[in-house]
Amino acid sequence: MTQDELKQQAALRALDYVIEGAIVGVGTGSTANFFIDGLATMKDRIAGAVASSEVSARRLAGHGIPLLDMNDVEELPVYIDGADEIDTSLAMIKGGGGAQTREKIVAAVAQKFVCICDATKKVAQLGRFPLPVEVIPMARAQVARELVRLGGRPVLREGFITDNGNLILDVHGLAIHDPVSLEITIDGIVGVVTSGLFAKRGADVLLLATPDGVQAFE
Ligand code: 5RP
């Protein structure tokens, strides 16, 4: 079974978590794309979707799924999204697609975060995947210096601008022993918009696709 087939299995299992008649929060990335395509099969049974990126918004709209502005949504029962890494406490590294700021906003509003992954994403300790950090352009060099002080090796994601008009520094080599405290530290650096660490608000459910089927962790 290919990695894409596993991603699709996890994504389709997440349809069980969609509440009929309610709004769904939708993430970004190839796994989220499989979820969007699956959601299209039940679009007449949901109130609509909020998207965590422009690219997901376009895919949702292409399927005729009604889109809502996050500012107009007070209640969001569930948010479905992928991750680059997830540990046993369901803390994650996200932002491989550079969408972590909007993802963190939608996740903050959602009552339940369902993470959909293939088995390669589950790790004992976060940090092999470089941590994406969204930065205000004029703060790029200063934030990079601070990240070096934290033991990381920041690399500018070349030719990439986020949906919010900012830059991404991909930080290699961080030892992430305490994801909550590192998230607080990095998100507190002046000029950082959002790090891709999702530990303070991790996932509530992990749907992990393995060759033996999809396992649910809560
Ligand atoms: C985008 C993300 C994605 O969830 C993450 O990069 C996983 O992507 P994929 O499903 O393509 O493996 O955080 O910002």
Side-chain angles (χ1 to χ4, degrees), residues 3 12 22-23 25 31-32 61 94 124 126 142 144 153-154 157 163 178 181 189 194:
Q3 190 177 14
L12 296 182
I23 299 163
T31 318
K94 292 184 46 53
L126 300 174
Q142 168 60 7
R153 190 165 50 83
R157 198 178 292 184
D163 284 347
D178 184 346
S181 126
I189 297 172
T194 316

Side-chain angles (χ1 to χ4, degrees), residues 37-111:
D37 296 346
L39 192 62
T41 65
M42 56 180 295
K43 66 179 176 188
D44 298 331
R45 289 183 277 140
I46 58 169
V50 288
S52 65
S53 64
E54 300 295 338
V55 69
S56 289
R58 281 196 294 276
R59 197 175 185 98
L60 287 158
H63 283 301
I65 297 171
L67 282 170
L68 290 101
D69 186 307
M70 189 75 264
N71 288 302
D72 298 327
V73 175
E74 262 181 62
E75 294 256 316
L76 188 61
V78 68
Y79 174 52
I80 316 280
D81 197 0
D84 299 300
E85 284 184 349
I86 184 161
D87 72 11
T88 51
S89 74
L90 306 192
M92 294 162 281
I93 287 182
K94 292 184 46 53
Q100 72 265 22
T101 297
R102 294 188 188 197
E103 291 172 342
K104 216 176 258 199
I105 294 166
V106 182
V109 178
Q111 283 160 260

Side-chain angles (χ1 to χ4, degrees), residues 3-4 7 27-34 52-53 79-85 92-101 103 113 115-118 120-121 129 132 157 160 168 196 198:
Q3 190 177 14
D4 270 352
K7 287 180 179 191
T28 300
S30 55
T31 318
N33 282 345
F34 285 123
S52 65
S53 64
Y79 174 52
I80 316 280
D81 197 0
D84 299 300
E85 284 184 349
M92 294 162 281
I93 287 182
K94 292 184 46 53
Q100 72 265 22
T101 297
E103 291 172 342
F113 185 144
C115 181
I116 47 178
C117 287
D118 67 88
T120 63
K121 306 289 186 70
F129 190 92
R157 198 178 292 184
F160 186 86
I168 296 284
F198 284 58

Side-chain angles (χ1 to χ4, degrees), residues 97-183:
Q100 72 265 22
T101 297
R102 294 188 188 197
E103 291 172 342
K104 216 176 258 199
I105 294 166
V106 182
V109 178
Q111 283 160 260
K112 184 177 280 189
F113 185 144
V114 177
C115 181
I116 47 178
C117 287
D118 67 88
T120 63
K121 306 289 186 70
K122 187 129 185 283
V123 297
Q125 183 179 303
L126 300 174
R128 182 175 298 178
F129 190 92
L131 179 67
V133 178
E134 180 168 355
V135 298
I136 301 284
M138 78 167 283
R140 172 184 49 82
Q142 168 60 7
V143 169
R145 284 190 289 271
E146 293 289 338
L147 292 168
V148 168
R149 275 182 207 114
L150 292 173
R153 190 165 50 83
V155 176
L156 178 67
R157 198 178 292 184
E158 293 287 348
F160 186 86
I161 303 287
T162 70
D163 284 347
N164 313 304
N166 296 314
L167 304 172
I168 296 284
L169 293 172
D170 290 304
V171 190
H172 298 248
L174 284 172
I176 307 183
H177 301 298
D178 184 346
V180 171
S181 126
L182 189 64
E183 180 180 0

